[in-house]
Amino acid sequence: MAISVDQLRAFVAAYESGSFVGAANTLGKHLTSVSAQIGNLEIDLGFALFERSRRGVSPTRKADELYRYAEVVLKELGLFSAKAESLLEQEPTHLSIAIDVSLRSAELTRCYQDVLATFPLIKLKILNGDAAQVMEWVSSRTADIGVIISMFTAARGVAQARAFNFEICFVAPPDWQLQEAGVKPSEINSHTQIIHEFVLGTSLAEGHRISNHTLVCNNAFEIIEMVKAGVGWAITPRYMVGDAIEQGVVQEFRLAHGGKEYWYAEAIRREDIPFTDASQLFWNNVMGLADR
């Protein structure tokens, strides 16, 4: 049995349109050609796919069962053709992106959605971890590109480019009695402070470790939950904790004589691995993101 692609296309078009005329219009072919393709397919199969009458055609039960298989075959054929074309055009085939869990956002998602829209057959891998994990994945070639809260240190062999800035804020459990006008370090250092783990290995450590007793956590979302539960206070990105502040489940405070402070995100990649069109597109998208 030798079934051609044209026969399957004629069958699917006729099944979906409910007529041979509709199939001919869909395929842009003459009615007699479509009718012949379906007739030859029925001969090859050994049974009828459509019942003919003066009022038109209607699919048989066997046609109902075969339709979904024919549809899958044609879809896979389309993917095969698209993949062959992408190989001919030397389009990138793989991209692995590692994103700091503290930076997850709809804006970053759109950065790699754009890659998928531009290169629909690319094999995309997304990894989430803390800043140190993302740096390690990029250094070890597990990820092609990473996006992290800046560790404020240079890594050997890794290119780092400053992306968007974001404001940080001080938050505490809602039932703590804190001065609205500004909290002196001496007033807060007796309370437990929850510190982002990545901070400990950076130049930020000295200025951001304020309390005498500290806990360490590598997940910003968990840090916010810990503050809600009354475990301690923390310095964390405002964009992550803004809703919790508005809902009153945590309270924001500021240090006396302290102004606004900012951290920033970085895009990172190995210096010895050249950009592909896909990695360059994602990189450019990240670098174009607005400050938060």
Side-chain angles (χ1 to χ4, degrees), residues 30 50 88 132 136 142 209 269:
H30 197 278
F50 295 93
L88 180 64
E136 173 58 29
T142 301
R209 193 201 303 259
R269 66 180 184 88

Side-chain angles (χ1 to χ4, degrees), residues 100-250:
D100 189 329
V101 67
S102 299
L103 293 175
R104 289 185 307 172
S105 65
E107 291 81 5
L108 273 175
T109 299
R110 284 193 288 271
C111 288
Y112 60 76
Q113 280 182 318
D114 189 26
V115 174
L116 287 172
T118 306
F119 306 102
L121 296 177
I122 197 167
K123 292 183 178 179
L124 181 67
K125 180 192 289 187
I126 304 296
L127 302 171
N128 284 129
D130 62 27
Q133 287 175 312
V134 173
M135 180 65 76
E136 173 58 29
W137 286 330
V138 171
S139 298
S140 65
R141 303 173 188 264
T142 301
D144 300 306
I145 289 180
V147 185
I148 62 171
I149 290 181
S150 177
M151 299 174 71
F152 301 92
T153 56
R156 184 176 180 181
V158 175
Q160 300 169 241
R162 184 165 179 163
F164 54 89
N165 299 321
F166 52 89
E167 185 183 354
I168 59 172
C169 64
F170 296 71
V171 290
D175 57 347
W176 286 14
Q177 301 299 314
L178 299 173
Q179 296 293 326
E180 293 183 5
V183 177
K184 296 179 180 178
S186 58
E187 295 177 64
I188 197 70
N189 63 14
S190 60
H191 294 284
T192 298
Q193 180 183 359
I194 309 163
I195 299 179
H196 292 261
E197 184 178 41
F198 83 90
V199 169
L200 299 180
T202 72
S203 58
L204 294 174
E206 186 66 27
H208 283 69
R209 193 201 303 259
I210 297 172
S211 291
N212 298 324
H213 180 248
T214 60
L215 300 177
V216 178
C217 182
N218 73 337
N219 187 309
F221 293 99
E222 184 64 24
I223 288 176
I224 295 171
E225 292 303 315
M226 294 169 76
V227 175
K228 289 180 185 179
V231 175
W233 70 274
I235 304 171
T236 197
R238 179 178 294 281
Y239 67 83
M240 297 187 67
V241 77
D243 288 344
I245 293 172
E246 289 185 8
Q247 295 164 7
V249 292
V250 302

